[in-house]
């Protein structure tokens, strides 16, 4: 029986689908114009937006600006300027000699209704990086924000609807609301969240034939080579571990350092982590804090050492924490912790460092820190991740031209970049035939048809003049047969 939340989800999908008819029929330049205006109105209230994010996530206001609001400004500017060119039809190649008089083009069509199911860690940046290109592509969007950060999502949808009308809608609630939204049969689901939920979402979409993009968890590794600028690498790795209090899918949770500089790097990293402690707020949910606490406790139980930090009793925020000597079957090494915690490990060769980084089911991002860019580039080709940063980490999540993409348990979805826009639209082939020939591959079949096919294959195989001549001869015979 349909529940209240099922009905709400269905209403939202139906409303957006109805509004989508007119929206999709607008020229892309007009959609870009309206989106630019919507962006301008949202950014006029950027302080209010940053405060909503800070109020429900506890991020410092500066970080709400740097990782959420600023990204929104970039998104509107980028997509409205560069998006339309990726939506232009392209000419399809049809061999003029074999198939004369035919023209083909491939158009980009909207998918229809895109359901965007979002997590709580970046409650504005993550949904917006789907919303803006999806709308530009002619789709409508139903947003289901996380139940832990509902106000940011509601704020965005309210503003977008005020500017653009009911081409955007909101479905609020927990996982049941997300499941109901999929049951309401949108045309595409862009899911960002944990690997466990992503698996359920993929199954629900597959059952209904719904296209599904999956941006899932991560367990990023930073590789520090023996020629790295140790101070800079320590500062960058500390930020990669701690940004958003570690609640970042591409947060650094493993650090693999070359044995020759391990001691020096460990000292520098601990120093940076301790100094950053005042900028690291508590985790957004108690459940997440409990997961991090369990990972740290189990690592210590298995022989791991707390090099700095540790989980305090009670509900005080977890300070920046670095663990050493952690066995690799521990959760702290294998599973996503999603907190301000990382495991440090040393190894004696580049190959061993790469093996350590690849020792994970996840494959979102990795970084290599070295002054020798060619050496780092060589190693980067061996990493099994969707993104590799050399001498930096994860800062590209807010850059709309660059794909955010993973492999393995991190999901194979793409957000940001022209590649993501291609996924949010579908190709439609249109062919116009102006020839008046009876085609040589039409009925009746017989010896002449077979002779033509063999000659055509031989022409492709050898590419020689003789084979071309034979193919033309076979075509003439076949045409004569068809006209008689
Ligand atoms: P989550 O999987 O618990 O929830 C994500 C969303 O899915 C929420 O809106 C939730 O209500 C909804 N949901 C839950 N069950 C559902 C169901 N059965 N059907 C449909 N929707 C359902 O994730 P979270 O805890 O909110 O976010 C943290 C996770 O997100 C981490 O694993 C993190 O790595 C990942 N993440 C990935 C990326 C990326 O780009 N790869 C970015 C940010 C976060």
């Amino acid at each position: 029986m349909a529940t209240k939340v099922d009905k709400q989800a269905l209403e939202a999908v139906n409303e957006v689908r109805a509004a989508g008819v007119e929206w999709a029929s607008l020229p892309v330049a007009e959609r870009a114009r309206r989106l630019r205006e919507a962006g301008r109105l949202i950014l006029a209230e950027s302080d209010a937006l940053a405060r909503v994010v800070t109020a429900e996530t506890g991020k410092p206001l500066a970080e709400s600006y740097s990782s959420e609001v600023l990204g929104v400004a970039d998104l509107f500017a980028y997509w409205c300027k560069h998006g339309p060119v990726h939506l232009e039809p392209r000419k399809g190649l049809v061999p003029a000699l074999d198939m004369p008089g035919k023209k083909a083009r491939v158009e980009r069509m909207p998918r229809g209704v895109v359901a965007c199911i979002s997590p709580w860690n970046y409650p504005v940046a993550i949904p917006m990086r789907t919303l803006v290109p999806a709308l530009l592509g002619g789709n409508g969007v139903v947003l289901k924000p996380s139940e832990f950060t509902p106000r940011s999502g509601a704020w965005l949808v309210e503003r977008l609807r005020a500017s653009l009308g009911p081409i955007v809608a909101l479905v609020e609630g927990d996982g049941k609301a997300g499941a109901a939204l999929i049951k309401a049969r949108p045309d595409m689901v862009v899911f960002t969240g944990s690997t466990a939920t992503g698996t359920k979402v993929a199954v629900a979409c597959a059952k209904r034939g719904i296209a599904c993009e999956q941006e899932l968890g991560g367990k990023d590794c930073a590789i520090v080579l023996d020629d790295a600028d140790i101070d800079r690498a320590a500062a960058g790795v500390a930020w990669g571990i701690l940004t958003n209090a570690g609640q970042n899918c591409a947060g650094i949770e493993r650090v693999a350092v070359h044995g020759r500089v391990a001691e020096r790097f460990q000292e520098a990293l601990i120093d940076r982590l301790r100094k950053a402690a005042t900028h690291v707020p508590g985790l957004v949910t108690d459940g997440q804090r409990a997961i991090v606490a369990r990972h740290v406790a189990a690592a210590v139980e298995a022989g791991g050492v707390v090099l700095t930090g540790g989980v305090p009793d009670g509900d005080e925020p977890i300070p920046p924490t670095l663990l050493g000597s952690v066995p690799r079957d521990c959760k702290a090494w294998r599973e996503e912790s999603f907190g301000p915690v990382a495991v440090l490990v040393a190894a004696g060769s580049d190959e061993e460092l790469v093996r350590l980084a690849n020792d994970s089911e996840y494959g979102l991002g990795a970084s290599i820190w070295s002054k020798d860019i060619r050496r780092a580039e060589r190693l980067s080709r061996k990493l099994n991740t969707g993104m590799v940063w050399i001498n930096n980490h994860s800062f590209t999540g807010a850059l709309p031209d660059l794909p955010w993409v993973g492999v393995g348990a991190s999901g194979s979805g793409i957000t940001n970049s022209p590649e993501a826009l291609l996924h949010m639209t579908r190709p439609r082939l249109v062919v116009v035939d102006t020839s008046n020939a009876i085609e040589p591959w039409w009925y009746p079949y017989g010896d002449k048809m077979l002779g033509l096919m063999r000659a055509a294959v031989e022409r492709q195989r050898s590419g020689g003049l003789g084979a071309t001549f034979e193919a033309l001869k076979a075509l003439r015979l076949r045409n004569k047969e068809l006209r008689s």
Side-chain angles (χ1 to χ4, degrees), residues 379-411:
L379 292 184
S380 76
R381 288 191 277 279
K382 299 179 179 172
L383 287 172
N384 192 24
T385 58
M387 298 172 286
V388 179
W389 301 277
I390 293 174
N391 292 324
N392 219 312
H393 199 98
S394 102
F395 71 101
T396 53
L399 299 184
D401 195 47
L402 308 185
W404 189 263
V405 58
V407 297
S410 294

Side-chain angles (χ1 to χ4, degrees), residues 62-399:
E63 205 164 291
S64 292
Y65 258 100
S66 65
S67 64
E68 308 255 16
V69 178
L70 186 59
V72 170
D74 284 348
L75 277 170
F76 281 103
Y78 171 84
W79 283 114
C80 295
K81 181 169 180 202
H82 299 285
V85 77
H86 300 292
L87 294 170
E88 276 171 14
R90 76 169 175 84
K91 192 176 156 202
L93 296 179
V94 181
L97 193 66
D98 299 329
M99 297 169 184
K102 293 155 186 58
K103 284 205 177 94
R105 66 174 189 278
V106 183
E107 301 173 337
R108 300 305 313 180
M109 304 296 289
R111 294 252 184 200
V113 179
V114 174
C116 176
I117 302 178
S118 284
W120 44 264
N121 59 336
Y122 293 100
V124 168
I126 287 181
M128 286 307 274
R129 71 186 185 185
T130 290
L131 267 151
V132 179
L135 290 168
L136 185 78
N139 302 287
V141 181
V142 180
L143 172 63
K144 207 304 271 168
S146 166
E147 58 274 33
F148 297 109
T149 50
R151 284 167 52 205
S152 303
W155 193 99
L156 287 173
V157 170
E158 196 182 300
R159 267 55 179 192
L160 286 168
R161 279 174 75 96
S163 295
L164 303 172
I167 192 65
V168 181
L170 183 73
V171 165
E172 288 178 293
D174 59 10
K176 287 198 190 84
L181 180 52
I182 299 172
K183 272 200 274 171
R185 290 187 183 271
D187 301 288
M188 181 182 200
V189 171
V190 178
F191 173 80
T192 308
S194 63
T195 303
T197 310
T199 307
K200 289 186 206 158
V201 166
V203 170
C205 287
K207 277 185 182 162
R208 296 168 177 85
I210 300 170
C212 181
E213 288 280 293
Q214 300 240 305
E215 301 283 340
L216 308 178
K219 191 79 191 171
D220 282 17
C221 187
I223 296 177
V224 181
L225 299 183
D226 53 355
D227 65 348
D229 173 340
I230 297 295
D231 281 344
R232 186 175 181 277
V237 171
W239 183 84
I241 295 170
L242 300 180
T243 184
N244 209 26
Q247 301 159 118
N248 174 11
C249 48
I252 297 173
E253 298 201 357
R254 300 175 301 144
V255 185
V257 56
H258 199 290
R260 266 199 286 271
V261 292
E263 221 178 289
R264 226 160 31 96
F265 179 76
Q266 181 179 314
E267 247 172 57
L269 180 59
I270 289 175
D271 185 48
R272 289 282 177 177
L273 290 173
R274 286 186 180 151
K275 284 184 180 148
T278 51
H279 304 295
V280 181
L283 301 183
V284 172
T285 70
D286 293 342
Q288 199 57 52
R289 190 185 190 283
I291 291 172
V292 176
R294 277 203 299 277
H295 285 192
V296 174
V300 171
E301 184 124 316
V305 178
V306 178
L307 300 170
T308 186
V311 179
D313 293 333
D315 54 6
E316 266 176 61
I318 298 172
T321 297
L322 189 66
L323 304 171
S325 309
V326 173
R328 275 160 49 198
D329 57 355
C330 278
K331 289 187 171 173
W333 179 268
R334 302 233 75 85
E335 293 182 15
E336 186 181 46
S337 302
F338 223 53
V341 176
V343 172
L344 183 82
V345 58
S349 71
D350 290 7
E351 295 306 314
E352 183 56 18
L353 289 169
V354 167
R355 261 198 297 280
L356 284 167
N358 282 340
D359 180 29
S360 177
E361 286 179 7
Y362 294 102
L364 195 54
S367 52
I368 303 175
W369 301 77
S370 167
K371 284 185 192 145
D372 183 344
I373 301 299
R374 284 177 66 181
R375 178 182 174 196
E377 290 263 16
R378 215 170 32 247
L379 292 184
S380 76
R381 288 191 277 279
K382 299 179 179 172
L383 287 172
N384 192 24
T385 58
M387 298 172 286
V388 179
W389 301 277
I390 293 174
N391 292 324
N392 219 312
H393 199 98
S394 102
F395 71 101
T396 53
L399 299 184

